[in-house]
Amino acid sequence: MYDLKETKLVVVVNEIFIRKQFQQIFKKSSSQLYLFSSANEAIKFLDKNNDLAIVICELTMPDMCSSELILQTKKTKKLKNIYFILITNFEHENSLVIQGKFGADDYIKMPLGNSDVFTRVRSGIRFLKLENELRAENNQLVQELDRVNLELSSAAKLHRSILPETDMITNGLEVSSFHTPCQFMGGDFYGYRYINKDVFSFYQIDVSGHGVSSALFSFSLGNELLKTHLASESLFLLDSNNDLRIRPTHSTVKAINQSNALNLKSDLYFTMIYGLLNTKTGQVKFCQAGHPHLIHFNNETKLTNVIGDGGFPVGVIETAEFEEQSFNMKKSDRLFMFSDGLTEALDVSGEMYGYERICELIKDKRSLSIKDLLKYIYQQVVSWTENEKLNDDVTITAFQWNGEGENYEFF
Amino acid sequence: MNFSNKKINQSILLISIDHPRLDASSTPDFKEYFSNVVKSQFSKVVLDLSSVKFMDSSGLGALIFCLKNMVVNGEIVIVGAQANVLGLFTLTRMDRLFTHYGELSDVLAEIA
């Protein structure tokens, strides 16, 4: 199955009668046999012919020793794959010693036996072919990987396009987000905006799992929800007096849970928090659906409070009921919302970062702006894990309510 | 991944996860194992989580997936969940879907 014809056989032997013997051995196989009496001649030849080659040489040639020849060819890029067979006089050397000492691939003992030479050359050819195939497959894989990486990067850009571009500062409210997917794309998405003059809505969604399948689900879900349940007009409803009212948060989440966008047979589901902040009064109403609790920093007492009673995730139980919870913020208070990638980050011993440590950071670093604080929290959690980055998607959003603002502007 | 199972009776199977993590890296194996041993034969699975130190949303997703793929009215109850793991069940109210028992003997007593 391996053809001698395709492989160049280069023999470097000083003794003419041994060269003749090689001629004899390969006479019938019509192989490409090239005979040389010195190493330099052989190198010159190999330089011009860079296809598959097997070199059979003596330990010592007139112009150099075999290890020098091997070293010289291995240094040249196009010759480094040559297969070397040494002709030795050693009685007891085994191939491992020969390889170790001289860098050759195999050896033949003197006196030369025809079938021995033939077998060694054949196994050399087989080796070269396999190596060649492996190299070709490897190249193909590398190219394929580059292509996939490129596509994932452009998909990641698309994914980012449904997230808010920048932080927001209005007279009464500052909002900042920190988001980093653990791979190219993540299963997290989030958003916030004013839905009328005084009411600011926010949400954060974390699709279970991470990687491409979560990211695809998250992306299509995000697009779908922004067109339907999270679209401005859906966030209002008419009450019994035909007055337009803001739809309660748990009602929105319940509608999402029952929407067709979810495939209840898959094991992908998501957790979310959807909330409304009244920028006039500081009241926050929110629905927690399996998402981590909120952390409220009270600027007056300088204490933090972990808020939330938990709740079903979305996309698990079609008939699930959801609840709305509420609390009040005071002027200059801060509110933090994050995905579980943060609290569930593990250190080397397997301990979770948890809420308490996050609360401590929020209290200790209260003099930082919310933007800098979020970066700081992320860095602290990363160093807790002793890795370069976390192995889950992380999203943190922070709000600072600065009291009633007269106007708001988008930046 | 190390899983083991023991038939409790005709319709109840005990599955133990002898692995410290049930997360994205171990859930594909778990789902495969679960469907292979439970098939449509068992309507109730007692899942021993006492060796699991960490479980994340993928792990929870896998349990939900397994439950949804069981026979109609199939049930999974969990046993011996550690504090972290139990926290995830309560946060997501999944403790209402997967009843939790402290000890295996508690489950067996109730079933028997």
Side-chain angles (χ1 to χ4, degrees), chain A residues 152-218:
Chain A
L152 282 174
S153 315
S154 40
K157 271 187 207 149
L158 204 61
H159 193 255
R160 278 211 71 91
S161 70
I162 57 168
L163 305 178
E165 266 176 36
T166 48
D167 296 340
M168 212 171 109
I169 304 173
T170 70
N171 282 348
L173 186 67
E174 286 173 49
V175 187
S176 184
S177 277
F178 182 92
H179 169 72
T180 173
C182 69
Q183 290 166 349
F184 288 96
M185 299 179 280
D188 287 3
F189 76 91
Y190 60 96
Y192 34 75
R193 65 176 187 279
Y194 278 95
I195 58 171
N196 69 18
K197 190 164 67 65
D198 300 322
V199 179
F200 180 79
S201 77
F202 55 90
Y203 60 86
Q204 200 175 77
I205 288 177
D206 178 2
V207 172
S208 65
H210 33 79
V212 176
S213 59
S214 298
L216 281 177
F217 181 56
S218 155

Side-chain angles (χ1 to χ4, degrees), chain B residues 42-108:
Chain B
F42 298 98
S43 59
K44 187 166 185 170
V45 170
V46 179
L47 190 65
D48 186 346
L49 290 178
S50 53
S51 304
V52 179
K53 288 197 181 120
F54 176 74
M55 181 171 142
D56 67 359
S57 62
S58 310
L60 190 60
L63 293 195
I64 295 163
F65 178 84
C66 290
L67 181 63
K68 284 182 176 171
N69 284 285
M70 281 175 77
V71 291
V72 182
N73 294 328
E75 191 187 353
I76 299 177
V77 301
I78 55 171
V79 166
Q82 299 187 14
N84 273 347
V85 176
L86 206 55
L88 181 67
F89 278 93
T90 39
L91 171 71
T92 56
R93 302 261 168 96
M94 283 297 128
D95 49 351
R96 299 188 191 169
L97 203 59
F98 304 93
T99 312
H100 177 247
Y101 295 86
E103 302 282 336
L104 185 58
S105 53
D106 301 341
V107 190
L108 297 179

Side-chain angles (χ1 to χ4, degrees), chain A residues 38 127 196 223 252 257 266 270 286 296 306 321 384:
Chain A
S38 76
F127 180 87
N196 69 18
N223 272 325
T252 296
N257 186 54
S266 108
F270 59 90
F286 70 101
H296 173 204
V306 177
E321 289 296 331
W384 164 262

Side-chain angles (χ1 to χ4, degrees), chain A residues 264 267 269 309 311 316 323, chain B residues 31 57-58 68 91-93:
Chain A
L264 291 169
D267 59 345
Y269 64 91
D309 297 332
V316 178
E323 293 150 26
Chain B
K31 286 193 284 187
S57 62
S58 310
K68 284 182 176 171
L91 171 71
T92 56
R93 302 261 168 96

Side-chain angles (χ1 to χ4, degrees), chain A residues 340-355:
Chain A
D340 61 9
L342 202 66
T343 41
E344 290 181 1
L346 302 176
D347 73 354
V348 280
S349 75
E351 190 180 336
M352 283 195 205
Y353 196 75
Y355 290 94

